[in-house]
Structures are given as structure tokens and as C-alpha cells.
Amino acid sequence: MTATDDITIAKLLLAEYDRVKEEQKTRIGFRDNLLYVTLAAMVTVLIGAAQTRHAELLLALPAATSVLGWTYLVNDEKITAIGRYIRTDLGPRLSALAGEPESLFGWETAHRRDTRRAQRKVIQCAVDLTAFAAVPLAALTVFWVYGAGAAVPLVISLLEVAAVAALAVQITLYADTGP
């Protein structure tokens, strides 16, 4: 008996399931921590700008939240993609191998049938937009009112508006409110 005699398609698919679920779990933890990091960055920049009375320090906030927001969005999309892959590809293949008419991973679809899921996803989208778009845009507005004098910081602020707007559009487009 060779080592390959113990390898079956079902075992390989179950191993894949374990790996993608582990990746999903890791990405969820990382994504959720990004919100805390974003809040800490906001507080740090706002306190620094207020204490020094240098409005140009506010330009650090949109830069930081754009990078953190994009990283948050990419991880959130991968978390969703993993769930979709398990629901639509991996689960059905394992179910077919097991001779089961229903998906073996019921939780992957059950939690999506919650009647308040769409409402939660819309609220989460609003939270994400607040953290990664509204607060940075408010910081830019304060900068324009109190500190926009020199040309270079003003150009930087306009580039940051474009980055924040692009991120806001992507957050909205990737909001998975469907069943």
C-alpha cells in the first residue's frame, strides 16, 4: 500500500475546506482589527492637529484611512468570496461525493437567510462609509476652512478627496446585501 492509496477526492476537498475556513477566520480577525486601527489613527491625528493648531496635519487622516479602508475592503471581499466559494462550489462537490442532496455546510447558507441580514449589511456599509469616507472628508473640510493656504497641501487635499471618493464608491459597490 502506497501513501497515495489513502488520498481521496473527498479528503482533498475536506482539507481544502479546512484551509479556506482558516483563511476566512484569519481575514475576519484582521479586517475587524482594521477598524480599531482606523479609530486610533483618527484620534491620534485629530488630537495632534488640535494640540498643535496645524490644520495641515489633518491631511494625514484621509491618507491613513484610504490605505486602511482599502485593506479593510480587500479583506472583506475575500471573506465574502470564500463563503461564496464554499456555498456554490466546494460544498456542492462534497455533497455530491457523499451522495447527499443538500449542502453539507448548512451554516454557509443558513446565516444568510436571516430576515435582518440586509438591514445589518446596510448599517455596516454606513459604518464603513463613516469611518473611511465621512470622517476623512470632514477633516479635509476643516483643513480647507482653517489651513488651506499653500498650493502643495491644497493639491494633496484634492488628491485625497479623489482617493476617499473612490474608496467610498468601492465600499458601496462591494456591500453584499443579497441573500
Side-chain angles (χ1 to χ4, degrees), residues 77-110:
E77 190 281 325
K78 294 300 180 215
I79 292 162
T80 301
I82 289 169
R84 184 174 40 253
Y85 173 70
I86 291 170
R87 282 189 315 278
T88 63
D89 190 310
L90 188 58
R93 285 192 290 156
L94 272 166
S95 295
L97 283 173
E100 291 292 322
E102 297 291 322
S103 177
L104 297 175
F105 306 118
W107 174 247
E108 298 295 336
T109 56

PDB file of all heavy atoms in Angstrom, residues 77-110:
ATOM      1  N   GLU A  77     -13.879  41.570   1.019  1.00  0.00           N
ATOM      2  CA  GLU A  77     -14.252  40.923  -0.244  1.00  0.00           C
ATOM      3  C   GLU A  77     -13.761  39.478  -0.275  1.00  0.00           C
ATOM      4  O   GLU A  77     -14.472  38.585  -0.735  1.00  0.00           O
ATOM      5  CB  GLU A  77     -13.679  41.712  -1.433  1.00  0.00           C
ATOM      6  CG  GLU A  77     -14.200  41.258  -2.782  1.00  0.00           C
ATOM      7  CD  GLU A  77     -13.549  39.993  -3.310  1.00  0.00           C
ATOM      8  OE1 GLU A  77     -12.336  39.783  -3.081  1.00  0.00           O
ATOM      9  OE2 GLU A  77     -14.248  39.191  -3.959  1.00  0.00           O
ATOM     10  N   LYS A  78     -12.558  39.227   0.211  1.00  0.00           N
ATOM     11  CA  LYS A  78     -12.023  37.859   0.229  1.00  0.00           C
ATOM     12  C   LYS A  78     -12.817  36.977   1.197  1.00  0.00           C
ATOM     13  O   LYS A  78     -13.062  35.804   0.917  1.00  0.00           O
ATOM     14  CB  LYS A  78     -10.538  37.840   0.609  1.00  0.00           C
ATOM     15  CG  LYS A  78      -9.648  38.503  -0.415  1.00  0.00           C
ATOM     16  CD  LYS A  78      -9.740  37.826  -1.758  1.00  0.00           C
ATOM     17  CE  LYS A  78      -8.835  38.502  -2.758  1.00  0.00           C
ATOM     18  NZ  LYS A  78      -9.355  38.527  -4.101  1.00  0.00           N
ATOM     19  N   ILE A  79     -13.249  37.522   2.310  1.00  0.00           N
ATOM     20  CA  ILE A  79     -14.084  36.783   3.260  1.00  0.00           C
ATOM     21  C   ILE A  79     -15.383  36.376   2.580  1.00  0.00           C
ATOM     22  O   ILE A  79     -15.821  35.223   2.666  1.00  0.00           O
ATOM     23  CB  ILE A  79     -14.361  37.643   4.519  1.00  0.00           C
ATOM     24  CG1 ILE A  79     -13.073  37.838   5.320  1.00  0.00           C
ATOM     25  CG2 ILE A  79     -15.467  37.029   5.374  1.00  0.00           C
ATOM     26  CD1 ILE A  79     -13.130  38.989   6.303  1.00  0.00           C
ATOM     27  N   THR A  80     -16.000  37.316   1.876  1.00  0.00           N
ATOM     28  CA  THR A  80     -17.236  37.036   1.148  1.00  0.00           C
ATOM     29  C   THR A  80     -16.998  36.020   0.032  1.00  0.00           C
ATOM     30  O   THR A  80     -17.801  35.106  -0.167  1.00  0.00           O
ATOM     31  CB  THR A  80     -17.804  38.353   0.567  1.00  0.00           C
ATOM     32  OG1 THR A  80     -18.047  39.252   1.654  1.00  0.00           O
ATOM     33  CG2 THR A  80     -19.093  38.122  -0.201  1.00  0.00           C
ATOM     34  N   ALA A  81     -15.893  36.175  -0.688  1.00  0.00           N
ATOM     35  CA  ALA A  81     -15.573  35.252  -1.786  1.00  0.00           C
ATOM     36  C   ALA A  81     -15.372  33.829  -1.270  1.00  0.00           C
ATOM     37  O   ALA A  81     -15.804  32.869  -1.913  1.00  0.00           O
ATOM     38  CB  ALA A  81     -14.340  35.732  -2.536  1.00  0.00           C
ATOM     39  N   ILE A  82     -14.733  33.689  -0.126  1.00  0.00           N
ATOM     40  CA  ILE A  82     -14.530  32.359   0.455  1.00  0.00           C
ATOM     41  C   ILE A  82     -15.883  31.725   0.782  1.00  0.00           C
ATOM     42  O   ILE A  82     -16.132  30.563   0.465  1.00  0.00           O
ATOM     43  CB  ILE A  82     -13.618  32.421   1.692  1.00  0.00           C
ATOM     44  CG1 ILE A  82     -12.174  32.716   1.268  1.00  0.00           C
ATOM     45  CG2 ILE A  82     -13.684  31.114   2.494  1.00  0.00           C
ATOM     46  CD1 ILE A  82     -11.247  33.066   2.413  1.00  0.00           C
ATOM     47  N   GLY A  83     -16.758  32.486   1.411  1.00  0.00           N
ATOM     48  CA  GLY A  83     -18.086  31.970   1.727  1.00  0.00           C
ATOM     49  C   GLY A  83     -18.855  31.561   0.481  1.00  0.00           C
ATOM     50  O   GLY A  83     -19.491  30.508   0.435  1.00  0.00           O
ATOM     51  N   ARG A  84     -18.776  32.411  -0.542  1.00  0.00           N
ATOM     52  CA  ARG A  84     -19.456  32.105  -1.805  1.00  0.00           C
ATOM     53  C   ARG A  84     -18.878  30.842  -2.447  1.00  0.00           C
ATOM     54  O   ARG A  84     -19.616  29.991  -2.947  1.00  0.00           O
ATOM     55  CB  ARG A  84     -19.346  33.297  -2.760  1.00  0.00           C
ATOM     56  CG  ARG A  84     -20.089  33.129  -4.060  1.00  0.00           C
ATOM     57  CD  ARG A  84     -20.089  34.386  -4.928  1.00  0.00           C
ATOM     58  NE  ARG A  84     -18.828  35.113  -4.945  1.00  0.00           N
ATOM     59  CZ  ARG A  84     -18.615  36.286  -4.325  1.00  0.00           C
ATOM     60  NH1 ARG A  84     -19.572  36.862  -3.633  1.00  0.00           N
ATOM     61  NH2 ARG A  84     -17.434  36.880  -4.398  1.00  0.00           N
ATOM     62  N   TYR A  85     -17.565  30.693  -2.413  1.00  0.00           N
ATOM     63  CA  TYR A  85     -16.910  29.511  -2.981  1.00  0.00           C
ATOM     64  C   TYR A  85     -17.360  28.245  -2.256  1.00  0.00           C
ATOM     65  O   TYR A  85     -17.662  27.230  -2.889  1.00  0.00           O
ATOM     66  CB  TYR A  85     -15.387  29.672  -2.894  1.00  0.00           C
ATOM     67  CG  TYR A  85     -14.631  28.433  -3.292  1.00  0.00           C
ATOM     68  CD1 TYR A  85     -14.611  28.004  -4.614  1.00  0.00           C
ATOM     69  CD2 TYR A  85     -13.944  27.677  -2.345  1.00  0.00           C
ATOM     70  CE1 TYR A  85     -13.922  26.866  -4.985  1.00  0.00           C
ATOM     71  CE2 TYR A  85     -13.254  26.544  -2.708  1.00  0.00           C
ATOM     72  CZ  TYR A  85     -13.238  26.132  -4.025  1.00  0.00           C
ATOM     73  OH  TYR A  85     -12.560  24.997  -4.387  1.00  0.00           O
ATOM     74  N   ILE A  86     -17.452  28.312  -0.943  1.00  0.00           N
ATOM     75  CA  ILE A  86     -17.902  27.137  -0.181  1.00  0.00           C
ATOM     76  C   ILE A  86     -19.355  26.816  -0.514  1.00  0.00           C
ATOM     77  O   ILE A  86     -19.709  25.654  -0.725  1.00  0.00           O
ATOM     78  CB  ILE A  86     -17.709  27.365   1.333  1.00  0.00           C
ATOM     79  CG1 ILE A  86     -16.209  27.393   1.669  1.00  0.00           C
ATOM     80  CG2 ILE A  86     -18.419  26.277   2.143  1.00  0.00           C
ATOM     81  CD1 ILE A  86     -15.897  27.856   3.078  1.00  0.00           C
ATOM     82  N   ARG A  87     -20.213  27.849  -0.589  1.00  0.00           N
ATOM     83  CA  ARG A  87     -21.639  27.644  -0.876  1.00  0.00           C
ATOM     84  C   ARG A  87     -21.892  27.126  -2.282  1.00  0.00           C
ATOM     85  O   ARG A  87     -22.767  26.293  -2.486  1.00  0.00           O
ATOM     86  CB  ARG A  87     -22.418  28.965  -0.707  1.00  0.00           C
ATOM     87  CG  ARG A  87     -22.721  29.355   0.682  1.00  0.00           C
ATOM     88  CD  ARG A  87     -23.683  30.540   0.741  1.00  0.00           C
ATOM     89  NE  ARG A  87     -23.377  31.634  -0.163  1.00  0.00           N
ATOM     90  CZ  ARG A  87     -22.487  32.595   0.063  1.00  0.00           C
ATOM     91  NH1 ARG A  87     -21.799  32.584   1.179  1.00  0.00           N
ATOM     92  NH2 ARG A  87     -22.295  33.559  -0.808  1.00  0.00           N
ATOM     93  N   THR A  88     -21.150  27.651  -3.260  1.00  0.00           N
ATOM     94  CA  THR A  88     -21.501  27.375  -4.651  1.00  0.00           C
ATOM     95  C   THR A  88     -20.620  26.345  -5.343  1.00  0.00           C
ATOM     96  O   THR A  88     -20.999  25.846  -6.403  1.00  0.00           O
ATOM     97  CB  THR A  88     -21.471  28.673  -5.483  1.00  0.00           C
ATOM     98  OG1 THR A  88     -20.137  29.186  -5.480  1.00  0.00           O
ATOM     99  CG2 THR A  88     -22.440  29.702  -4.925  1.00  0.00           C
ATOM    100  N   ASP A  89     -19.473  26.029  -4.773  1.00  0.00           N
ATOM    101  CA  ASP A  89     -18.549  25.134  -5.453  1.00  0.00           C
ATOM    102  C   ASP A  89     -18.122  23.971  -4.559  1.00  0.00           C
ATOM    103  O   ASP A  89     -18.474  22.819  -4.814  1.00  0.00           O
ATOM    104  CB  ASP A  89     -17.319  25.935  -5.913  1.00  0.00           C
ATOM    105  CG  ASP A  89     -16.417  25.153  -6.839  1.00  0.00           C
ATOM    106  OD1 ASP A  89     -16.062  24.010  -6.508  1.00  0.00           O
ATOM    107  OD2 ASP A  89     -16.035  25.678  -7.902  1.00  0.00           O
ATOM    108  N   LEU A  90     -17.405  24.275  -3.514  1.00  0.00           N
ATOM    109  CA  LEU A  90     -16.837  23.232  -2.663  1.00  0.00           C
ATOM    110  C   LEU A  90     -17.918  22.401  -1.963  1.00  0.00           C
ATOM    111  O   LEU A  90     -17.872  21.169  -1.989  1.00  0.00           O
ATOM    112  CB  LEU A  90     -15.889  23.861  -1.640  1.00  0.00           C
ATOM    113  CG  LEU A  90     -15.055  22.924  -0.799  1.00  0.00           C
ATOM    114  CD1 LEU A  90     -14.192  22.024  -1.661  1.00  0.00           C
ATOM    115  CD2 LEU A  90     -14.181  23.740   0.155  1.00  0.00           C
ATOM    116  N   GLY A  91     -18.880  23.058  -1.354  1.00  0.00           N
ATOM    117  CA  GLY A  91     -19.959  22.345  -0.659  1.00  0.00           C
ATOM    118  C   GLY A  91     -20.742  21.410  -1.566  1.00  0.00           C
ATOM    119  O   GLY A  91     -20.928  20.233  -1.242  1.00  0.00           O
ATOM    120  N   PRO A  92     -21.204  21.905  -2.710  1.00  0.00           N
ATOM    121  CA  PRO A  92     -21.928  21.011  -3.618  1.00  0.00           C
ATOM    122  C   PRO A  92     -21.081  19.828  -4.115  1.00  0.00           C
ATOM    123  O   PRO A  92     -21.602  18.724  -4.266  1.00  0.00           O
ATOM    124  CB  PRO A  92     -22.326  21.932  -4.775  1.00  0.00           C
ATOM    125  CG  PRO A  92     -22.439  23.280  -4.148  1.00  0.00           C
ATOM    126  CD  PRO A  92     -21.339  23.310  -3.117  1.00  0.00           C
ATOM    127  N   ARG A  93     -19.794  20.041  -4.363  1.00  0.00           N
ATOM    128  CA  ARG A  93     -18.952  18.922  -4.808  1.00  0.00           C
ATOM    129  C   ARG A  93     -18.823  17.861  -3.714  1.00  0.00           C
ATOM    130  O   ARG A  93     -18.920  16.667  -3.987  1.00  0.00           O
ATOM    131  CB  ARG A  93     -17.561  19.417  -5.217  1.00  0.00           C
ATOM    132  CG  ARG A  93     -17.572  20.119  -6.567  1.00  0.00           C
ATOM    133  CD  ARG A  93     -16.174  20.346  -7.102  1.00  0.00           C
ATOM    134  NE  ARG A  93     -15.477  21.350  -6.307  1.00  0.00           N
ATOM    135  CZ  ARG A  93     -14.150  21.455  -6.219  1.00  0.00           C
ATOM    136  NH1 ARG A  93     -13.373  20.640  -6.872  1.00  0.00           N
ATOM    137  NH2 ARG A  93     -13.613  22.394  -5.493  1.00  0.00           N
ATOM    138  N   LEU A  94     -18.647  18.304  -2.474  1.00  0.00           N
ATOM    139  CA  LEU A  94     -18.562  17.344  -1.373  1.00  0.00           C
ATOM    140  C   LEU A  94     -19.898  16.653  -1.145  1.00  0.00           C
ATOM    141  O   LEU A  94     -19.944  15.454  -0.862  1.00  0.00           O
ATOM    142  CB  LEU A  94     -18.101  18.038  -0.089  1.00  0.00           C
ATOM    143  CG  LEU A  94     -16.595  18.113   0.088  1.00  0.00           C
ATOM    144  CD1 LEU A  94     -16.226  19.097   1.189  1.00  0.00           C
ATOM    145  CD2 LEU A  94     -16.024  16.747   0.395  1.00  0.00           C
ATOM    146  N   SER A  95     -20.984  17.394  -1.257  1.00  0.00           N
ATOM    147  CA  SER A  95     -22.314  16.796  -1.101  1.00  0.00           C
ATOM    148  C   SER A  95     -22.547  15.720  -2.151  1.00  0.00           C
ATOM    149  O   SER A  95     -23.078  14.649  -1.851  1.00  0.00           O
ATOM    150  CB  SER A  95     -23.400  17.871  -1.210  1.00  0.00           C
ATOM    151  OG  SER A  95     -23.301  18.784  -0.148  1.00  0.00           O
ATOM    152  N   ALA A  96     -22.149  15.999  -3.379  1.00  0.00           N
ATOM    153  CA  ALA A  96     -22.319  15.023  -4.452  1.00  0.00           C
ATOM    154  C   ALA A  96     -21.489  13.767  -4.176  1.00  0.00           C
ATOM    155  O   ALA A  96     -21.978  12.648  -4.372  1.00  0.00           O
ATOM    156  CB  ALA A  96     -21.911  15.640  -5.793  1.00  0.00           C
ATOM    157  N   LEU A  97     -20.257  13.950  -3.703  1.00  0.00           N
ATOM    158  CA  LEU A  97     -19.418  12.788  -3.386  1.00  0.00           C
ATOM    159  C   LEU A  97     -20.010  11.963  -2.247  1.00  0.00           C
ATOM    160  O   LEU A  97     -19.882  10.744  -2.222  1.00  0.00           O
ATOM    161  CB  LEU A  97     -18.002  13.237  -2.997  1.00  0.00           C
ATOM    162  CG  LEU A  97     -17.094  13.656  -4.145  1.00  0.00           C
ATOM    163  CD1 LEU A  97     -15.803  14.244  -3.603  1.00  0.00           C
ATOM    164  CD2 LEU A  97     -16.794  12.472  -5.054  1.00  0.00           C
ATOM    165  N   ALA A  98     -20.667  12.639  -1.314  1.00  0.00           N
ATOM    166  CA  ALA A  98     -21.265  11.949  -0.173  1.00  0.00           C
ATOM    167  C   ALA A  98     -22.646  11.385  -0.503  1.00  0.00           C
ATOM    168  O   ALA A  98     -23.245  10.692   0.316  1.00  0.00           O
ATOM    169  CB  ALA A  98     -21.371  12.899   1.023  1.00  0.00           C
ATOM    170  N   GLY A  99     -23.169  11.718  -1.685  1.00  0.00           N
ATOM    171  CA  GLY A  99     -24.488  11.250  -2.069  1.00  0.00           C
ATOM    172  C   GLY A  99     -25.604  11.972  -1.341  1.00  0.00           C
ATOM    173  O   GLY A  99     -26.713  11.452  -1.213  1.00  0.00           O
ATOM    174  N   GLU A 100     -25.324  13.197  -0.889  1.00  0.00           N
ATOM    175  CA  GLU A 100     -26.309  13.994  -0.156  1.00  0.00           C
ATOM    176  C   GLU A 100     -26.929  15.029  -1.093  1.00  0.00           C
ATOM    177  O   GLU A 100     -26.211  15.723  -1.811  1.00  0.00           O
ATOM    178  CB  GLU A 100     -25.640  14.719   1.015  1.00  0.00           C
ATOM    179  CG  GLU A 100     -25.186  13.809   2.125  1.00  0.00           C
ATOM    180  CD  GLU A 100     -26.346  13.178   2.873  1.00  0.00           C
ATOM    181  OE1 GLU A 100     -27.369  13.856   3.098  1.00  0.00           O
ATOM    182  OE2 GLU A 100     -26.229  12.001   3.230  1.00  0.00           O
ATOM    183  N   PRO A 101     -28.261  15.161  -1.076  1.00  0.00           N
ATOM    184  CA  PRO A 101     -28.896  16.153  -1.941  1.00  0.00           C
ATOM    185  C   PRO A 101     -28.708  17.587  -1.423  1.00  0.00           C
ATOM    186  O   PRO A 101     -28.745  18.538  -2.190  1.00  0.00           O
ATOM    187  CB  PRO A 101     -30.371  15.759  -1.933  1.00  0.00           C
ATOM    188  CG  PRO A 101     -30.553  15.014  -0.652  1.00  0.00           C
ATOM    189  CD  PRO A 101     -29.234  14.346  -0.355  1.00  0.00           C
ATOM    190  N   GLU A 102     -28.513  17.756  -0.130  1.00  0.00           N
ATOM    191  CA  GLU A 102     -28.351  19.077   0.487  1.00  0.00           C
ATOM    192  C   GLU A 102     -26.868  19.356   0.717  1.00  0.00           C
ATOM    193  O   GLU A 102     -26.062  18.443   0.856  1.00  0.00           O
ATOM    194  CB  GLU A 102     -29.084  19.123   1.836  1.00  0.00           C
ATOM    195  CG  GLU A 102     -30.578  18.927   1.740  1.00  0.00           C
ATOM    196  CD  GLU A 102     -31.272  20.103   1.085  1.00  0.00           C
ATOM    197  OE1 GLU A 102     -30.870  21.253   1.330  1.00  0.00           O
ATOM    198  OE2 GLU A 102     -32.215  19.860   0.309  1.00  0.00           O
ATOM    199  N   SER A 103     -26.535  20.627   0.790  1.00  0.00           N
ATOM    200  CA  SER A 103     -25.156  21.002   1.070  1.00  0.00           C
ATOM    201  C   SER A 103     -24.761  20.518   2.459  1.00  0.00           C
ATOM    202  O   SER A 103     -25.558  20.567   3.400  1.00  0.00           O
ATOM    203  CB  SER A 103     -24.996  22.526   0.995  1.00  0.00           C
ATOM    204  OG  SER A 103     -23.678  22.888   1.333  1.00  0.00           O
ATOM    205  N   LEU A 104     -23.544  20.056   2.573  1.00  0.00           N
ATOM    206  CA  LEU A 104     -23.052  19.565   3.860  1.00  0.00           C
ATOM    207  C   LEU A 104     -22.753  20.701   4.836  1.00  0.00           C
ATOM    208  O   LEU A 104     -22.708  20.481   6.035  1.00  0.00           O
ATOM    209  CB  LEU A 104     -21.779  18.741   3.650  1.00  0.00           C
ATOM    210  CG  LEU A 104     -21.935  17.478   2.814  1.00  0.00           C
ATOM    211  CD1 LEU A 104     -20.575  16.822   2.593  1.00  0.00           C
ATOM    212  CD2 LEU A 104     -22.883  16.509   3.489  1.00  0.00           C
ATOM    213  N   PHE A 105     -22.575  21.882   4.338  1.00  0.00           N
ATOM    214  CA  PHE A 105     -22.210  23.014   5.188  1.00  0.00           C
ATOM    215  C   PHE A 105     -23.390  23.971   5.301  1.00  0.00           C
ATOM    216  O   PHE A 105     -23.411  25.044   4.696  1.00  0.00           O
ATOM    217  CB  PHE A 105     -20.975  23.722   4.627  1.00  0.00           C
ATOM    218  CG  PHE A 105     -19.815  22.790   4.400  1.00  0.00           C
ATOM    219  CD1 PHE A 105     -19.298  22.600   3.140  1.00  0.00           C
ATOM    220  CD2 PHE A 105     -19.249  22.096   5.462  1.00  0.00           C
ATOM    221  CE1 PHE A 105     -18.232  21.742   2.934  1.00  0.00           C
ATOM    222  CE2 PHE A 105     -18.179  21.232   5.258  1.00  0.00           C
ATOM    223  CZ  PHE A 105     -17.670  21.046   3.994  1.00  0.00           C
ATOM    224  N   GLY A 106     -24.359  23.581   6.080  1.00  0.00           N
ATOM    225  CA  GLY A 106     -25.599  24.348   6.209  1.00  0.00           C
ATOM    226  C   GLY A 106     -25.417  25.760   6.717  1.00  0.00           C
ATOM    227  O   GLY A 106     -26.133  26.671   6.307  1.00  0.00           O
ATOM    228  N   TRP A 107     -24.435  25.963   7.602  1.00  0.00           N
ATOM    229  CA  TRP A 107     -24.227  27.295   8.167  1.00  0.00           C
ATOM    230  C   TRP A 107     -23.846  28.304   7.084  1.00  0.00           C
ATOM    231  O   TRP A 107     -24.176  29.488   7.184  1.00  0.00           O
ATOM    232  CB  TRP A 107     -23.141  27.261   9.236  1.00  0.00           C
ATOM    233  CG  TRP A 107     -22.807  28.628   9.741  1.00  0.00           C
ATOM    234  CD1 TRP A 107     -21.638  29.301   9.572  1.00  0.00           C
ATOM    235  CD2 TRP A 107     -23.664  29.510  10.466  1.00  0.00           C
ATOM    236  NE1 TRP A 107     -21.713  30.541  10.139  1.00  0.00           N
ATOM    237  CE2 TRP A 107     -22.960  30.704  10.702  1.00  0.00           C
ATOM    238  CE3 TRP A 107     -24.980  29.423  10.927  1.00  0.00           C
ATOM    239  CZ2 TRP A 107     -23.510  31.777  11.383  1.00  0.00           C
ATOM    240  CZ3 TRP A 107     -25.518  30.503  11.603  1.00  0.00           C
ATOM    241  CH2 TRP A 107     -24.787  31.653  11.830  1.00  0.00           C
ATOM    242  N   GLU A 108     -23.181  27.839   6.059  1.00  0.00           N
ATOM    243  CA  GLU A 108     -22.739  28.745   4.995  1.00  0.00           C
ATOM    244  C   GLU A 108     -23.917  29.419   4.294  1.00  0.00           C
ATOM    245  O   GLU A 108     -23.766  30.496   3.733  1.00  0.00           O
ATOM    246  CB  GLU A 108     -21.881  27.998   3.973  1.00  0.00           C
ATOM    247  CG  GLU A 108     -20.610  27.406   4.528  1.00  0.00           C
ATOM    248  CD  GLU A 108     -19.599  28.435   5.019  1.00  0.00           C
ATOM    249  OE1 GLU A 108     -19.627  29.592   4.565  1.00  0.00           O
ATOM    250  OE2 GLU A 108     -18.772  28.065   5.864  1.00  0.00           O
ATOM    251  N   THR A 109     -25.084  28.791   4.318  1.00  0.00           N
ATOM    252  CA  THR A 109     -26.271  29.401   3.716  1.00  0.00           C
ATOM    253  C   THR A 109     -27.296  29.831   4.765  1.00  0.00           C
ATOM    254  O   THR A 109     -28.026  30.790   4.542  1.00  0.00           O
ATOM    255  CB  THR A 109     -26.946  28.434   2.722  1.00  0.00           C
ATOM    256  OG1 THR A 109     -27.261  27.218   3.399  1.00  0.00           O
ATOM    257  CG2 THR A 109     -26.051  28.161   1.540  1.00  0.00           C
ATOM    258  N   ALA A 110     -27.349  29.134   5.894  1.00  0.00           N
ATOM    259  CA  ALA A 110     -28.376  29.423   6.909  1.00  0.00           C
ATOM    260  C   ALA A 110     -28.287  30.850   7.428  1.00  0.00           C
ATOM    261  O   ALA A 110     -29.313  31.542   7.537  1.00  0.00           O
ATOM    262  CB  ALA A 110     -28.264  28.427   8.059  1.00  0.00           C
TER     263      ALA A 110
END
